[in-house]
Amino acid sequence: MRICVVGGGLAGSLLAWRLAEAGAGRIDVALGAPTGRPAGTISGDATAASGGLVRGFEPDPVVSRAAVASLVELRASPTLRRWSDYREVGSLYVRDSPAVPQAQLAELDRALPGSAELLAADRLAALGWHGLPAYCTGVSERDAGYVSPGALRRAVLADLTGRRAASLLPVTVRAVRARPDGLVRCQAATTGRDYDLVAVAAGRWTGRLLRHSGLPPAGLRTKSDVERFESGLSAARAAAEPTAIRLLEDAVAVYRGDFLADLPGGGWIEARRADLRRQAEAALLTLGELLRARGRPDRAADTYRRLVGIDGLLEVAHRQLMQCYADLGERGRALRQYAELVDLLAAELGVAPAPETTALYHRLRRELPAGATARDTAGATVRGTARVTPRATVGATAGATAGATAGATAGATAGATAGATGGRRG
């Protein structure tokens, strides 16, 4: 596979380095036109001017979890610490709020036990922060520190220079065009190159390049999508109805499939895909429940159908979809949904549906009108039950609430580590 990363700033160079480390294929990094500055420097690039504080706490729980993941990865890697000139100096974040940031502190304590401490106003005053309102609090982090973004970027580019499967190109990509044969062309001023995959990591120029290429500046499966998706889930958890429904609908609309689906799996990419997929499943379950509770079984059914499309073995989605069809007076359709589930579980796993799903099926059959036509029950006869063996449900249920987790950037952090468990799910 031939891949081009457009942008040689910190995000682009780290993404290219991760892809090279994963053996994803031939990697080209389009650095931008030569500037007369040190190698790899792009005109207007802000990497060297970036602040270098690295800490785990941030006011937004989603951003905070990403920051914790980055800090953990940095501290665990002697190479990254050396390349970035990492210095552990600690940090103090003063908050203009008495609320306890439980989610952030819990995440920090899980990842870096004993690193974070919540300080009241009197403790802050003892540290020299005089005159603060009594309700102010602070988050002190022992394991925070400083890095040099410019040094890290230079070291990463130097490492890429020494790899046979990577090239640094001193060109400015002016447009990205999809070709009829499925390849993607990166067009420079006078030349163009074709790739299997192009990743645009050009900082504040990303939107301009996408618009110039006739592509939407948002709506792609990018870092910004992940942040919008997870921030939306976080906001929905804190909101009351009907605002929570609107926020969930907006968030799940961003999720259109697996994260970086065109890249090879394995490692941090696969872990991040599984994490985001679980969040999407949980959000859709919650959204369906809220819509049905507000008397909208039609919209709830649409939600559960989408969920079945993401994971056909998620039995709870089939069961809720059956219930929505019953609410709509379509009991025959609900019974056919059960028959499809029976066949799917038998073929894929050799198991029967869970007892609660089978109980719902039998209840709906009893509720069919006495004069139900053949069309009402067509396809609803359960087949093949004699060849499957009921057993305990395999795998974890997605859950009924949408958990918001970290938005680790594609390439800059390791992402959350969790693998998808195979098997029939709840």
Side-chain angles (χ1 to χ4, degrees), residues 81-136:
R81 291 202 308 270
R82 184 178 70 257
W83 283 356
S84 64
D85 296 333
Y86 174 66
R87 292 167 290 138
E88 186 177 287
V89 297
S91 74
L92 176 63
Y93 189 104
V94 178
R95 306 172 61 251
D96 187 26
S97 171
V100 178
Q102 297 284 10
Q104 296 95 312
L105 292 175
E107 182 68 28
L108 271 164
D109 193 59
R110 281 193 296 270
L112 299 167
S115 175
E117 182 183 6
L118 185 67
L119 307 180
D122 58 339
R123 294 279 306 279
L124 293 174
L127 294 173
W129 292 82
H130 301 290
L132 294 174
Y135 60 78
C136 284

Side-chain angles (χ1 to χ4, degrees), residues 20-276:
E21 284 279 289
R26 175 76 196 181
I27 314 296
D28 287 349
V29 185
L31 298 173
T35 62
R37 301 177 185 179
T41 300
I42 305 171
S43 178
D45 175 49
T47 298
S50 301
L53 176 64
V54 285
R55 63 169 182 257
F57 176 80
E58 293 292 341
D60 186 322
V62 173
V63 178
S64 185
R65 188 165 183 180
V68 170
S70 297
L71 182 57
V72 168
E73 181 187 20
L74 176 65
R75 290 172 52 82
S77 171
T79 298
L80 291 177
R81 291 202 308 270
R82 184 178 70 257
W83 283 356
S84 64
D85 296 333
Y86 174 66
R87 292 167 290 138
E88 186 177 287
V89 297
S91 74
L92 176 63
Y93 189 104
V94 178
R95 306 172 61 251
D96 187 26
S97 171
V100 178
Q102 297 284 10
Q104 296 95 312
L105 292 175
E107 182 68 28
L108 271 164
D109 193 59
R110 281 193 296 270
L112 299 167
S115 175
E117 182 183 6
L118 185 67
L119 307 180
D122 58 339
R123 294 279 306 279
L124 293 174
L127 294 173
W129 292 82
H130 301 290
L132 294 174
Y135 60 78
C136 284
T137 56
V139 176
S140 173
E141 284 187 58
R142 178 195 64 209
D143 296 335
Y146 273 90
V147 298
S148 168
L152 178 56
R153 194 269 303 274
R154 288 191 297 273
V156 169
L157 292 178
D159 179 84
L160 288 170
T161 301
R163 293 175 181 260
R164 296 181 61 184
S167 298
L168 306 183
L169 307 179
V171 298
T172 297
V173 174
R174 301 184 181 276
V176 178
R177 311 284 189 193
R179 289 167 42 104
D181 59 4
L183 297 178
V184 183
R185 169 155 294 190
C186 285
Q187 186 65 51
T190 58
T191 62
R193 296 191 181 206
D194 297 330
Y195 297 93
D196 299 291
L197 180 70
V198 174
V200 179
R204 65 188 179 94
W205 291 279
T206 296
R208 183 189 309 172
L209 174 57
L210 294 176
R211 282 190 295 269
H212 185 70
S213 304
L215 298 169
L220 303 178
R221 290 201 294 276
T222 61
K223 170 188 173 185
S224 62
D225 286 345
V226 172
E227 291 174 344
R228 287 169 55 206
F229 173 63
E230 293 187 315
S231 294
L233 296 186
S234 180
R237 284 174 33 239
E241 296 182 49
T243 302
I245 292 177
R246 178 181 59 79
L247 291 171
L248 280 173
E249 288 178 327
D250 290 345
V252 298
V254 177
Y255 185 88
R256 295 178 304 282
D258 278 346
F259 176 65
L260 297 179
D262 294 327
L263 292 182
W268 70 273
I269 291 180
E270 188 57 44
R272 194 73 177 113
R273 283 175 186 163
D275 179 42
L276 291 169

